[in-house]
Structures are given as structure tokens and as C-alpha cells.
Amino acid sequence: MELQLDPLFQTITLVVLVVILIADLLIILKRPHIPAPKESTLWVVFYVTLALIFAGVLWIVAGGEVAGQFVAGWLTEYSLSIDNLFVFVLIMGQFAVPRRYQQEVLMVGIIIALILRGAFILVGATIIENFSPIFYLFGLFLVYTAIRQAFPGDDEDDAQKENLIVRTLRRVLPMSDSYDGKKVITRVNGKKLFTPMIIVFVAIGVTDLLFAIDSIPAIFGITQSPFIVFTANLFALMGLRQLYFLLGDLLDRLKYLHYGIAFILAFIGVKLILHAMHVNELPFLNGGEPIEWAPEISTWVSLAVIIVSMAVATVASLIAARREPAAGRQDAAADVADEKGTPSTVERPERD
């Protein structure tokens, strides 16, 4: 479905959202601090409410289908952005970034992500307009990504290792041993040196690039409107830094989140392949004619799948997290009893 949105409406929307993002950045630069849970909660609620209000405006301006595409795309990108936070946590810990300056690092990462995703959106929209079989490639790529997400193997260990770009920078740039506030360049004994902050920014940028490669095909599986794709990404990234501080240690408890994300990616991948079959132009498939029996999955079905997948993964993770401390307390009680040489009334759970 070709979306017809007033160019003036699109321009005003993008200007307003960019102004909000710049205002958010100026607040951080003026008052760097560690946000309290209440502050983070209020900001996250504000941005989520803003996204829902925008969905309502789209419903009025362009109809329910367009609004549904935005919400489905926003939720998809939001879930992928939460997954992105896991890697941000690893990077912050790996480079021992002072917590006071983590907001600035996250904001820089968000800006880099917006620039990269904007470029990917423009390229993706151009390719889609001129080469519809790209949906086959997008679909297969998302199914592959889903499998990698569900069964990471050694990827978790690899995520904690410095990538080639970061290692190269360490070798070629004169680097100080410690941070100097949020400065990228410092002076030690009269000599200008880069601080480890430059490495952090590069690591965040590379991470954003990898996530953009995954996320843009996913949202193009929901809508082909570059405006909806970009605004969904913008709303998903706005408030991400506050969400980082709000979730905090909760990220470690969302152990099944990657399964929910994997299911969403696989579902959208299959949806893209079915769409590619429905508008098929490949000469070696069905003589280059559309494959009529291939169903088109509606926006509302996609939205329902995304919501249910994330809800199930989150609830399962929280239930598992509540059981683990109880098992840990049982182990501790049994260990104390063993040390005292007294029989324990706590049975040790069997281990595989």
C-alpha cells in the first residue's frame, strides 16, 4: 500500500522531533548527572506517551492502517533497541566508563544511530522502489538473524572482545591511561593524547552500525514508507538513554528477551518472503509472475505478534528471575548446614 502523507505534515513532524532531541541533548550537556529512577521513569513515560499521541495523529491524518504500521514498526524498533542496551552495558563495563558520563556516551550513540539508520533508510527505500526482489534477500537475512539471535553460541563472548577497529585505534592513536571527564582529548605532561572516551564512542558507533543492518530490513517488512520507518526509529531511540538507567540490573534478568526478539525477526522475515512471492518478478520463479497463493500478512496481525512475543518473553524472564534467588538461598542454606556438620532441612536441587 502506497502511503500518501502531506509533505508539509512530514516536514513539521521531523522538525519538531529533531528539536525535542536537541533539547534533550542540551539538558545532558548542561547538567551531566546520574538520573534517579523516578526521573528516568518520567522521561520514558513521556517518550512512550509522545509516540502513542503521534500514532493517534497519524490515525486522524492518514487512517488506521498507517497508524498501525507506525505502532508495529515502533514496537519492533523499540524491542531491538532494548536488545541494543545489552551491548551498551557490556561496552560501558568493558571500558569502565564513569557512570556520571554514561548519559553523554549514550546520547552520542543515539545520534550516531540516527545518522546511520537515516542513511540505511534512504538506501533501502531506493532499492525497494527499483528492485522488488530485495524483499527475498531481506526476508532470508532476517530469518538468519533470528536464528543467530536465538542460538548465539560464542557471540556473547565475542561481544565482550574488542573488535578490529577498536584494537587498531588503540595501536595507532596516542592514548592516555585514564579518562579526563567527558573529554576526548586531554593533555598529559604537555602532550596531547586521546582519552579512552574516543574508543568508547567508536565501539558504540560500530555497534549502532551492526544493529542498523539488522533493524532496517525488519521495519521495511512492516511498512515501505521511509517517513514511517524513520519516525518509528526516531521514537524508538528517543528515551533510550533514560531506559538504560531505568532498567539497570533488570537487563540481566531479561534472560529470555532474545527469544522474543528472535521470533519477531523470524516472523517478519517470513512475512517479507511471502510479500516478495506475492509481487514476484524473478523470471525463474513462476515465470516471473506473482505467486497468487502467497498470503499477505496484515499490519494488525504483525502488531499482535510483536506485542504477544515481547510480553511472553518478558513475563517468562521475570518469572525465571524470581525463582533463581530462591534456588540460590536454598544452596546457601545447605552450604551453611554442611559447614556446621548439621543436617540441613533444605534439599539441594538436582543439577543436570
Side-chain angles (χ1 to χ4, degrees):
M1 174 183 179
E2 187 70 24
L3 302 183
Q4 298 296 333
L5 290 170
D6 186 354
L8 180 60
F9 171 76
Q10 297 184 44
T11 301
I12 293 174
T13 299
L14 293 176
V15 169
V16 170
L17 293 180
V18 169
V19 168
I20 293 174
L21 195 64
I22 292 174
D24 197 8
L25 175 60
L26 292 176
I27 291 173
I28 300 172
L29 295 176
K30 186 176 180 180
R31 192 170 65 92
H33 65 291
I34 303 172
K38 182 179 179 181
E39 178 186 347
S40 297
T41 301
L42 290 175
W43 275 107
V44 170
V45 170
F46 169 74
Y47 282 121
V48 169
T49 303
L50 197 63
L52 295 177
I53 291 174
F54 180 68
V57 172
L58 281 176
W59 191 299
I60 296 171
V61 171
E65 176 66 20
V66 176
Q69 288 182 12
F70 168 77
V71 174
W74 169 59
L75 288 176
T76 299
E77 294 298 330
Y78 205 70
S79 62
L80 290 170
S81 296
I82 293 175
D83 193 41
N84 204 349
L85 288 182
F86 284 94
V87 182
F88 284 169
V89 168
L90 287 174
I91 292 173
M92 298 292 189
Q94 182 179 1
F95 296 105
V97 179
R99 192 166 177 81
R100 176 180 174 83
Y101 299 109
Q102 288 183 8
Q103 282 209 83
E104 287 91 333
V105 173
L106 288 170
M107 201 62 196
V108 170
I110 290 170
I111 292 172
I112 294 173
L114 278 174
I115 294 171
L116 291 172
R117 294 187 187 196
F120 272 87
I121 289 167
L122 291 175
V123 172
T126 302
I127 294 175
I128 286 171
E129 185 177 350
N130 296 283
F131 185 64
S132 62
I134 192 66
F135 286 117
Y136 284 112
L137 298 179
F138 278 179
L140 291 172
F141 175 73
L142 287 180
V143 171
Y144 163 74
T145 304
I147 295 172
R148 190 184 62 187
Q149 180 79 231
F151 307 102
D154 296 329
D155 288 349
E156 292 182 1
D157 294 333
D158 293 340
Q160 301 184 46
K161 298 176 183 177
E162 294 182 358
N163 60 60
L164 177 61
I165 297 175
V166 171
R167 292 199 304 270
T168 302
L169 282 179
R170 281 193 181 278
R171 288 197 298 266
V172 301
L173 294 181
M175 194 78 58
S176 65
D177 295 328
S178 59
Y179 291 95
D180 184 5
K182 53 189 176 184
K183 294 180 181 178
V184 174
I185 299 177
T186 188
R187 190 177 292 274
V188 178
N189 297 326
K191 184 179 180 181
K192 284 187 177 181
L193 298 174
F194 286 95
T195 70
M197 192 65 77
I198 186 65
I199 302 293
V200 176
F201 287 153
V202 171
I204 292 287
V206 172
T207 299
D208 283 332
L209 174 61
L210 296 176
F211 274 90
I213 293 173
D214 286 350
S215 68
I216 297 306
I219 193 169
F220 270 120
I222 295 171
T223 176
Q224 280 83 64
S225 166
F227 174 74
I228 298 298
V229 172
F230 187 74
T231 51
N233 271 274
L234 190 57
F235 275 106
L237 292 172
M238 291 166 67
L240 188 62
R241 65 177 181 84
Q242 291 91 349
L243 190 64
Y244 172 88
F245 289 98
L246 178 62
L247 292 180
D249 295 334
L250 183 62
L251 286 173
D252 294 332
R253 299 170 61 189
L254 299 177
K255 59 186 296 184
Y256 298 131
L257 181 66
H258 64 286
Y259 289 119
I261 294 173
F263 186 82
I264 292 172
L265 291 176
F267 169 79
I268 297 176
V270 171
K271 178 183 176 181
L272 276 173
I273 293 172
L274 290 174
H275 175 73
M277 295 168 65
H278 192 74
V279 297
N280 177 61
E281 295 178 353
L282 294 177
F284 52 84
L285 284 179
N286 200 38
E289 296 295 323
I291 302 175
E292 297 297 337
W293 59 261
E296 286 275 24
I297 300 175
S298 72
T299 298
W300 300 107
V301 171
S302 300
L303 182 57
V305 169
I306 293 166
I307 293 175
V308 171
S309 299
M310 294 307 298
V312 170
T314 301
V315 171
S317 298
L318 295 178
I319 291 175
R322 290 187 63 181
R323 290 177 177 174
E324 286 178 357
R329 286 194 297 271
Q330 289 180 342
D331 283 346
D335 290 339
V336 169
D338 289 344
E339 290 176 3
K340 292 182 177 180
T342 56
S344 170
T345 58
V346 181
E347 294 182 2
R348 291 178 180 271
E350 293 182 3
R351 301 188 183 277
D352 295 333

